[in-house]
Amino acid sequence: MIHFPFHYPFILKGELYMLQQAVAGKLRAIVGAQWFKDDPESLITHSYDGTPMLQTLPDGVVYPENTAQVSEIIKVLQEHRVPVVSRGSGTNLCGGTVPVQGGVVMVMHRMNRILEVDLENLTATVQPGLNTKAFITHVEGLGLFYPPDPSSMAISTIGGNIAECSGGLRGLKYGTTKDYVIGLEAVLANGEIIRTGGKLMKDVAGYDLTKLLVGSEGTLAVITEATLKLIPPPKTKKTMLAMYKDLYGAARTVSKIIESRIIPATLEFLDNPTIRVVDDFAKLGLPLDMDAILLIEQDGDAETVDRDIARIAEICAGENAERVSIAADEAEALKLLTARRSAFTALARLRPTTILEDATVPRSKIADMVLAINDIAKRHGVTICTFGHAGDGNLHPTATTDARDANEIHRVEEAFAEIFEAAIALGGTITGEHGVGLVKAPYLEWKVGAAGIEVMKAIKHSFDPNNILNPGKMFAKSARKRVVLHRG
Amino acid sequence: MAKTLSDLLPSAPDSGCSELATTLKSALDYDQLTNCMRCGFCLPACPTFRETGIEAESPRGRIALMKAVADGLMDPDEAFETQMNHCLGCRACEPACPADVKYGQLLEQARDSVEKHTTTHRWWVKAARKTAFDGLFPHQNRMRLLGGALQMYQKTGLRKLVRGAGLMKMFPAHMREMEAILPDASYKGVVEQIGAFHPAKGERIATVGLFRGCIMDVLFTETNKHTVELLNEAGFDVVIPESQNCCGALHAHSGEQDGAKALAKGNIAAFKAAGVDWIASNAGGCGALLVEYDHLLHDDAQWKQDAAWCATRTIDVSKLLVEHGRLQSAAQAAVAAGAGSMVGSGASIGGANNGSRSGVPASAPAAVSAISPHGHAAASGGCGGSCSGGLGFASDEKVRITYQDSCHLRNVMRSSEAPRKLMRSVANAEFVELAEADRCCGSAGIYNLTQPQMAGQILDHKMEHVKHTGAQYLLTSNPGCLLQMKNGIEKHGMSGQMEALHLVDFLHERICGKH
């Protein structure tokens, strides 16, 4: 059994397949010799993703050029029962693309074209290896808007975003990746190619396989093409910052804004430990005695934006915000955003290892969750700073630690288990946008229950009976024993 | 199934381990390797990853390879060496890194180790390296002799003869291209030509030591002379310590740490003895090593402190002018040049030049505060009365200019705004931003000679962006980038419409009231 998620020494080796030369030969014949690699450098550099402390060597790396090649590759791997992990840039935070059982890593970078932007239907059809930011920039150039904006978007791929159902800062108002994927082409475990959905705003023909594949983490099929919904961009944008001496004031502001039927484009939160770290790093002159900062952005028509921002400022004042500042222009807005944008960077510099989680609760429970996190961190003697997307209840409790300190890592592991438990107790979930992958597999049952796991496993089995698609993810060999929360 | 590290090793770690692996294990900074959290934010910043899409060609991939060697997971083979050499060393990954991993240091540790054990260099590469690194760069007099020989080659008709006889065909294409764009060499360096001390125009703000550079002083002597003039005009005394030598960057980046250290000590001693407040560099590649002398000599108890002094006092000429010099805004320069209606972007230059000089900037060295706090001193000399506000620039004709960042100036010296402020301050010149100006041009020291294929590919993409600017002048702040840009302009048939120049030369030509 994999002792998981945090374990030192942390390098695991997959069950060694040592690809038979026959398999390697067939893959080379499909993609050309230069696009299948099994030299030590290639194996080492595809043994990890953005998740701390996980590393497992694959047995080969393949770079397909088109859907037909993907299908041929899968057929060969199915015939020989070799695991395959499809991936984009490998920036996920759940161990989703670490090849825990060895096999072949399939990198989709060569399939990176925008096939079409349909200006009549406002859709785009793209290949999975397309860079997210390049895509967003391209459609913006055409006067259109693709909202999902994970913070890794400068390097992540659309295919990776779909596999993990990525969120981002704009999720609160505009939704996440799942709300923009309306059609897919995918290769099944037997090499068959299916198409789901289409350029359709309504489609109830059978089960919604499109939505099922979004967020399936490469365990059900390999996505080879996607049709995405585009929307008109907002006309203007305004940004403001509110500071609180009292955490509950900030939390109540979040609820009050939503209750007032205002959905801001962005509603971000930084707690006191994060404020301290950010200020130390970025020297923004933030008041260190504040318990919380809210960064709020609204977009839309100028008139609506002005009205909403004025109303939000009133709400902040009513909830005893110490200070509210509204950015006068773009440059000032950028300055305000700096605090939020520096959070991850500042935290990452504190200690060698940074573990970022994404427990999510109903947005009315933000304050309870932050207090629970602080209490848990204190009891386990670990440093956890919390920031995140308060508007959609999606928090990022972030532990700064050192992978080489086995004892501390153990305490971090225990603390996170309690944080997941606390989130569920508040009606929340173990992961809002990072996915289950390897890291949260032991906790999945806590959220979905034994019956939920069974139905999910049955779905997995019907798609991939021989378990070759990203095996070892999503379902743990055994669920973790639930911790009993010490309340009080 | 969970296996410990030792289960993974192909054999017992100590028995089968190569000598290179042992050297790497002790050379690589394991803390830095651990600090890489593999978030992947460096990937889009990396030119070789962008060109290939291959993880091993990215900073995250290269660090993973180094760590695999340090962990005993992999024995460094020829592919490992190739990968370390494939990196441009542009260090664009460093500003992109949330965890502040010192990639440049890791790369130099890896290259230094590889160089000690390499078996892949052919005999003539070894001979050429030995000649250049031990026999040439460290000795400025020999550099000048080489400059003289080059000058003779260029001026006496020997070049015509060689080209005419088709002898250049014996060299690979990329060497031929470089030969064609080499500027006229000089056997007389800046000190030989104009002397070692040059007083400030008007009241002295501080004393600046000019770092002349080994190649700069042979191939770009004029740029050095122009740098001195700009600094004088902006209020600085300039001294050029004669005992300074090559900065050691080419050594350090090619795995010759010992050579680099010896050169560093020579320079530190030279500038220390000269009693300067600042050390001005006009080559991003050199300046970037000077600002890291503290790291280079961090384990040398005797030199550590002086190295730190040198590192903190080294500044790029643009930044020195913008932050501490007496400068005019574009509007002032336009008025002074009688071209009031033709101001370029009209931006005024920020920094300390606005208002009285009495407030010495907090970051200025202590020696500066001894200067008596007068207001603007009336400038004397070339400016005439019109430039009493300091150094200003105006172009006779309306020109469009663009700028390619020097990677080391931007990513290591962290100066990208100062050159742009200077360009925007030129009256009658329109500065347009070059798309991806922050991306390496492929020159990267001697990379364009050692890795011609990748360098050529990167250059081709660069030139497409350059074409889009429609600029008449493509400016840079480093000799290597300048040569590469000249090469690109030539190669893409743009020499009729565009000229590549060092920023200093462009500005010098347009000093207000002087020409």
Side-chain angles (χ1 to χ4, degrees), chain A residues 67-68 70-71 74 86 106 108 111 126 128 162 183-197 209-210 212-214 216 218 220-227 463 469:
Chain A
T67 306
V70 174
S71 166
I74 296 288
S86 54
M106 182 150 66
M108 307 305 283
M111 295 175 64
V126 305
I162 293 172
L184 288 172
E185 178 194 77
V187 174
L188 299 176
N190 60 6
E192 292 280 341
I193 300 165
I194 59 160
R195 297 194 77 95
T196 73
L209 295 181
T210 311
L212 180 59
L213 291 181
V214 176
S216 64
L220 301 182
V222 178
I223 291 156
T224 50
E225 192 186 295
T227 300
F463 269 84
L469 297 174

Side-chain angles (χ1 to χ4, degrees), chain A residues 195-421:
Chain A
R195 297 194 77 95
T196 73
K199 292 180 187 175
L200 300 165
M201 297 302 136
K202 287 183 174 178
D203 177 15
V204 290
Y207 295 135
D208 191 343
L209 295 181
T210 311
K211 288 274 191 289
L212 180 59
L213 291 181
V214 176
S216 64
E217 304 184 5
T219 62
L220 301 182
V222 178
I223 291 156
T224 50
E225 192 186 295
T227 300
L228 307 170
K229 184 172 80 176
L230 304 173
I231 60 173
K235 292 202 178 71
T236 57
K237 189 161 83 173
K238 266 204 169 164
T239 310
M240 60 184 283
L241 200 64
M243 300 176 187
Y244 297 83
K245 279 223 165 116
D246 163 34
L247 186 65
Y248 271 99
R252 272 195 311 269
T253 303
V254 174
S255 315
K256 263 276 176 62
I257 292 171
I258 307 292
E259 218 179 285
S260 310
R261 320 280 157 97
I262 299 172
I263 306 292
T266 299
L267 181 37
E268 296 289 311
F269 166 89
L270 300 174
D271 75 350
N272 176 277
T274 314
I275 295 169
R276 287 171 178 276
V277 174
V278 165
D279 196 66
D280 189 46
F281 166 69
K283 313 272 181 250
L284 296 167
L286 301 173
L288 300 180
D289 55 343
M290 294 294 162
D291 240 18
I293 289 181
L294 292 178
L295 173 84
I296 307 161
E297 229 174 42
Q298 181 59 306
D299 61 12
D301 293 329
E303 205 182 311
T304 320
V305 170
D306 284 342
R307 199 182 52 226
D308 283 357
I309 287 288
R311 178 78 189 103
I312 293 170
E314 270 172 40
I315 295 171
C316 295
E319 294 300 340
N320 299 322
E322 287 287 313
R323 202 188 301 169
V324 178
S325 44
I326 300 172
D329 52 31
E330 192 90 355
E332 219 183 305
L334 202 67
K335 237 188 200 164
L336 299 185
L337 278 165
T338 309
R340 167 62 179 91
R341 290 203 177 139
S342 313
F344 180 57
T345 302
L347 291 171
R349 287 171 189 218
L350 277 187
R351 304 275 310 274
T353 309
T354 308
I355 302 171
L356 180 72
E357 286 299 349
D358 64 329
T360 301
V361 293
R363 45 200 171 194
S364 60
K365 303 287 188 203
I366 288 283
D368 298 328
M369 189 64 210
V370 173
L371 291 179
I373 292 168
N374 290 346
D375 172 55
I376 290 165
K378 208 166 159 190
R379 271 192 290 105
H380 289 275
V382 293
T383 306
I384 297 182
C385 302
T386 302
F387 63 97
H389 321 301
D392 50 23
N394 180 196
L395 292 173
H396 290 309
T398 303
T400 59
T401 177
D402 190 334
R404 291 165 291 189
D405 184 341
N407 185 283
E408 186 176 323
I409 290 295
H410 177 71
R411 281 183 279 129
V412 169
E413 184 188 10
E414 294 299 315
F416 272 122
E418 279 194 30
I419 287 171
F420 297 146
E421 178 71 43

Side-chain angles (χ1 to χ4, degrees), chain B residues 225-425:
Chain B
K225 284 156 71 179
H226 295 160
T227 305
V228 171
E229 275 189 63
L230 290 183
L231 289 169
N232 288 159
E233 294 283 341
F236 300 102
D237 276 0
V238 177
V239 291
I240 314 171
E242 288 190 69
S243 56
Q244 63 174 298
N245 47 38
C246 165
C247 64
L250 291 177
H251 296 72
H253 304 154
S254 306
E256 306 269 353
Q257 292 292 316
D258 295 342
K261 285 178 187 169
L263 290 167
K265 290 173 188 171
N267 284 326
I268 294 165
F271 284 97
K272 207 69 213 193
V276 298
D277 303 315
W278 297 106
I279 302 165
S281 149
N282 56 17
C286 305
L289 191 72
L290 263 64
V291 301
E292 291 193 331
Y293 274 179
D294 54 341
H295 165 67
L296 188 68
L297 296 170
H298 72 278
D299 53 1
D300 188 321
Q302 196 192 333
W303 284 89
K304 196 155 97 172
Q305 207 175 346
D306 287 346
W309 171 83
C310 183
T312 50
R313 298 300 160 91
T314 299
I315 186 168
D316 181 67
V317 58
S318 303
K319 202 169 184 177
L320 184 57
L321 289 173
V322 168
E323 292 187 359
H324 305 285
R326 263 196 298 277
L327 290 184
Q328 297 178 4
S329 70
Q332 289 169 320
V335 170
S341 61
M342 297 184 291
V343 178
S345 55
S348 76
I349 307 183
N353 62 308
N354 295 327
S356 157
R357 285 296 328 162
S358 58
V360 173
S363 57
V368 181
S369 47
I371 300 166
S372 66
H374 283 282
H376 292 307
S380 58
C383 268
S386 63
C387 284
S388 58
L391 174 61
F393 308 104
S395 174
D396 291 342
E397 292 171 354
K398 215 169 166 51
V399 287
R400 181 182 282 192
I401 55 179
T402 192
Y403 177 72
Q404 162 64 31
D405 279 290
S406 147
C407 293
H408 284 182
L409 181 57
R410 185 185 181 100
N411 302 324
V412 185
M413 298 182 87
R414 303 281 167 109
S415 174
S416 56
E417 267 315 299
R420 287 172 169 79
K421 279 183 178 163
L422 282 175
M423 287 180 281
R424 289 198 184 97
S425 80

Side-chain angles (χ1 to χ4, degrees), chain A residues 48-51 89-93 151-152 154-156 344, chain B residues 36-46 49 55 58-61 96-98:
Chain A
Y48 52 80
D49 56 24
T51 322
S89 300
T91 55
N92 74 84
L93 295 167
S151 40
S152 59
I155 185 57
S156 70
F344 180 57
Chain B
C36 171
M37 54 185 174
R38 294 172 173 168
C39 65
F41 284 19
C42 55
L43 270 65
C46 177
F49 178 76
E55 176 82 20
S58 75
R60 179 174 70 169
C97 177

